Amino acid sequence: AYTARRPEYLLNVRSQQLSAFPDQPDHFLNWLRITKADSCTNSFCSRQSYGRYLQQLMGQVLEWPSSNGIRCYWHAQAATAVLPGARQATVRLADGTTLSSDYVVLALGNFAPPPPARTDLRYLTHPSYHGNPWAQGALRTIGPDDPVLLIGSGLTAVDVLMGLHADGHRGPITVVSGHGRWPAAHRLHPEEAYPGCIWQAWPLEEQARFLRHLGGIWSVVRHRSPPQNAATLAHLLDTGQVQVVPGRVDHILPANSHTLTVHVRHAGRAVPPLTARHVVACHGPLLDYSRIQEPLVAGLRAVGHLCPDPLHLGILTDEHGALRTAQGDVSDRLFTLGPSRRPACFESTAVPELRQQAVNLAQELGRRLLAQQVAAY
């Protein structure tokens, strides 16, 4: 989402809250002023500007050793396996290279959305189906008058609508949404941060009940849209170009070589079939680690070093992000952070939460490395 060269894709967090460092709240604002990369110091920046900010920070880390002597190395390929050992873990890369390390952090981010319909999967390879709206040029094949159907009405769907609008699209757009709600707009003044201790205090049954009855409502209230995006969306809805169909996708069938037919059910009843020239999956990333088939994840899961949580939100961990094994033990080698920690930290998606996780984990690993050095002497 940060690499798309589309200025209309905006961050849904204000620039004042996006410093990479919790103890330097003005770091991103100062970078914006110095580089003049974006005129959004008091508003919502483009995702591509924030991508450049992060890329520049990473470039500095990789270019020379830090003040404490730590040197970082970049291997531009996939890790295919992690083998925890008694003293170290071994990471195997796609080209056969192996790396040994005292600690391994699974910073895996988000995985592509799962198929919206699990029967008759021919649509997945149909030219009219767009399974990844962030893929390079994902929307460029959509003609200005082509009928489009979006699956989902969250922030990803809003981004796709902004992209289509910026491209001059004028064809009808149908949005299929289970709850039929759009993200709320940010207020003019920054809101207070939401506490995460409520989720952690609930037993598993209450967490499941919340997800079942209120998860969709919470999402549209908590993860808000920039005001300018909300205004454009309101215009598209008012003019009738965008129409919302409540319901969930049951199955998708090729109508011909150019169109798809989407079958939807709402409140247990079938909705009249919907036909579109393009269908775009906007229903969010795959969070269920029991279904993720990436070799790295599947391998760790198969041998019990990685355990999906019972609510299908991520990975079971301890308070530091250390993975719990199938036997309930805490790994002394493998850690994770980010969306994979949603079972323990439900609000584990936005930069303010993720950067604090990163700092806390770095400090914890630093303490462990120091203890190892002291023990060695």
Side-chain angles (χ1 to χ4, degrees):
Y2 293 153
T3 60
R5 298 184 179 278
R6 304 200 62 130
E8 65 273 11
Y9 286 177
L10 302 181
L11 296 157
N12 62 310
V13 177
R14 284 181 170 85
S15 54
Q16 300 97 313
Q17 299 169 291
L18 285 174
S19 168
F21 309 102
D23 59 342
Q24 301 178 50
D26 293 334
H27 192 273
F28 180 50
L29 294 178
N30 291 334
W31 181 86
L32 287 170
R33 295 188 184 101
I34 292 171
T35 63
K36 297 181 173 57
D38 207 327
S39 58
C40 60
T41 53
N42 296 312
S43 185
F44 297 86
C45 290
S46 69
R47 294 181 187 272
Q48 65 178 6
S49 292
Y50 197 66
R52 287 197 294 268
Y53 167 67
L54 295 178
Q55 190 174 34
Q56 188 175 100
L57 290 177
M58 286 299 301
Q60 294 171 358
V61 169
L62 293 168
E63 192 169 343
W64 55 75
S66 61
S67 57
N68 60 8
I70 290 179
R71 184 67 189 263
C72 297
Y73 300 90
W74 180 288
H75 295 265
Q77 55 183 299
T80 58
V82 178
L83 307 172
R87 293 183 176 274
Q88 286 189 319
T90 300
V91 179
R92 183 178 297 128
L93 305 185
D95 68 350
T97 300
T98 58
L99 306 171
S100 297
S101 179
D102 293 321
Y103 304 108
V104 175
V105 179
L106 305 178
L108 304 177
N110 285 317
F111 290 87
R118 300 190 191 182
T119 59
D120 197 345
L121 300 179
R122 288 178 295 161
Y123 71 93
L124 294 178
T125 57
H126 195 280
S128 296
Y129 180 71
H130 306 265
N132 180 9
W134 306 115
Q136 187 173 3
L139 308 181
R140 298 302 186 189
T141 60
I142 299 178
D145 297 303
D146 289 346
V148 177
L149 185 145
L150 308 185
I151 301 174
S153 60
L155 290 170
T156 299
V158 173
D159 277 347
V160 171
L161 289 175
M162 297 306 106
L164 292 173
H165 182 70
D167 289 344
H169 183 267
R170 51 185 178 266
I173 301 173
T174 303
V175 178
V176 177
S177 169
H179 50 64
R181 302 181 182 93
W182 294 98
H186 273 283
R187 298 169 184 167
L188 293 178
H189 302 288
E191 300 88 358
E192 294 294 325
Y194 291 92
C197 54
I198 298 175
W199 172 265
Q200 297 169 0
W202 282 340
L204 188 65
E205 297 86 343
E206 285 298 313
Q207 292 178 346
R209 189 179 177 195
F210 168 81
L211 292 173
R212 189 165 57 249
H213 296 291
L214 297 172
I217 297 175
W218 171 253
S219 180
V220 301
V221 173
R222 172 67 178 93
H223 302 287
R224 299 182 174 225
S225 185
Q228 52 267 57
N229 284 3
T232 300
L233 173 61
H235 170 74
L236 294 173
L237 291 168
D238 290 343
T239 60
Q241 184 181 357
V242 173
Q243 296 191 358
V244 179
V245 175
R248 299 188 182 279
V249 173
D250 192 28
H251 54 280
I252 304 173
L253 298 174
N256 52 50
S257 60
H258 300 292
T259 59
L260 291 167
T261 300
V262 180
H263 296 261
V264 177
R265 297 187 70 83
H266 178 58
R269 299 180 181 179
V271 173
L274 305 168
T275 301
R277 178 66 178 80
H278 297 273
V279 174
V280 186
C282 305
H283 54 293
L286 177 58
L287 304 171
D288 184 357
Y289 271 72
S290 67
R291 295 172 56 192
I292 293 170
Q293 297 305 315
E294 292 288 332
L296 177 68
V297 173
L300 287 171
R301 185 177 62 225
V303 295
H305 290 304
L306 180 154
C307 287
D309 75 297
L311 298 180
H312 312 294
L313 295 175
I315 302 174
L316 292 178
T317 65
D318 76 349
E319 68 273 17
H320 302 298
L323 271 60
R324 292 190 178 275
T325 68
Q327 293 73 35
D329 300 324
V330 175
S331 174
D332 57 0
R333 295 277 175 259
L334 306 182
F335 296 80
T336 190
L337 77 167
S340 57
R341 289 201 64 194
R342 290 189 79 212
C345 311
F346 186 69
E347 287 301 321
S348 190
T349 55
V351 169
E353 294 90 25
L354 301 188
R355 68 184 177 194
Q356 191 60 56
Q357 282 187 28
V359 167
N360 293 344
L361 181 54
Q363 292 173 344
E364 176 63 23
L365 295 181
R367 285 191 290 268
R368 297 189 185 202
L369 287 170
L370 181 60
Q372 285 182 357
Q373 293 176 352
V374 172
Y377 286 108

